[in-house]
Amino acid sequence: GENVEQHPSTLSVQEGDSAVIKCTYSDSASNYFPWYKQELGKGPQLIIDIRSNVGEKKDQRIAVTLNKTAKHFSLHITETQPEDSAVYFCAAPLGDSSYKLIFGSGTRLLVRP
Amino acid sequence: NAGVTQTPKFQVLKTGQSMTLQCAQDMNHNSMYWYRQDPGMGLRLIYYSASEGTTDKGEVPNGYNVSRLNKREFSLRLESAAPSQTSVYFCASSTQGRGGEQYFGPGTRLTVT
């Protein structure tokens, strides 16, 4: 089955610096890779996703890159702000059925003012 | 729109007791999901319903049952609660099952003593 590994588990950066979170997946049939942000006491919320037919996608300060050959994808946050502090999860579908998302174990990002 | 709502927010059960977690969405989504979130383990899919009238197992279905009551509502039942089921439970919905954004509810924190 699919296995998604996420690193690092915690990340502390100074406000204004960049943050990078990396995930690897095992199922070569996976074709959709979302990133979710979870604030304390709330449910996760989608912040960006990428499909297997593109290598990079940007949305303002957030970008995701995908390397299908190496089976890894990364979240990049530039010019970090205190409100970026949260837990971030990557995910990949089980096989070609995106009904079943396998989530990484999460990265707790702390942005220091 | 309220989005995805879950009841109750908190619950404490004794081992062997049963209960049903309720979930409803007002976004006219076809697909609905139940996840559990344990510390350091990300989210794991318990059951999902691709469309009204269908349900299927996820990663960790043992000890749970689900009912897709109608298009709006998807309930999760614990027939005989065990301490290992202590967790935070999230319901989610999506309009497009394969490769579509999932919208999460606020969660139910369940403790089994």
Side-chain angles (χ1 to χ4, degrees), chain B residues 3 42 62 104:
Chain B
N62 291 346
F104 285 80

Side-chain angles (χ1 to χ4, degrees), chain A residues 31-98:
Chain A
N31 55 8
Y32 171 67
F33 307 93
W35 285 91
Y36 284 81
K37 176 183 180 182
Q38 185 177 27
E39 297 177 343
L40 195 61
K42 297 184 177 180
Q45 183 175 12
L46 181 76
I47 55 171
I48 195 167
D49 55 15
I50 192 168
R51 299 182 191 276
S52 58
N53 57 345
V54 297
E56 184 176 7
K57 183 177 178 181
K58 288 183 179 179
D59 183 2
Q60 299 183 359
R61 297 186 296 107
I62 294 174
V64 57
T65 58
L66 172 65
N67 182 328
K68 285 219 73 178
T69 302
K71 295 184 193 172
H72 67 71
F73 57 112
S74 301
L75 177 71
H76 304 254
I77 306 174
T78 59
E79 301 173 21
T80 53
Q81 301 168 4
E83 52 265 37
D84 293 330
S85 295
V87 180
Y88 292 82
F89 293 97
C90 63
L94 183 64
D96 62 356
S97 169
S98 292

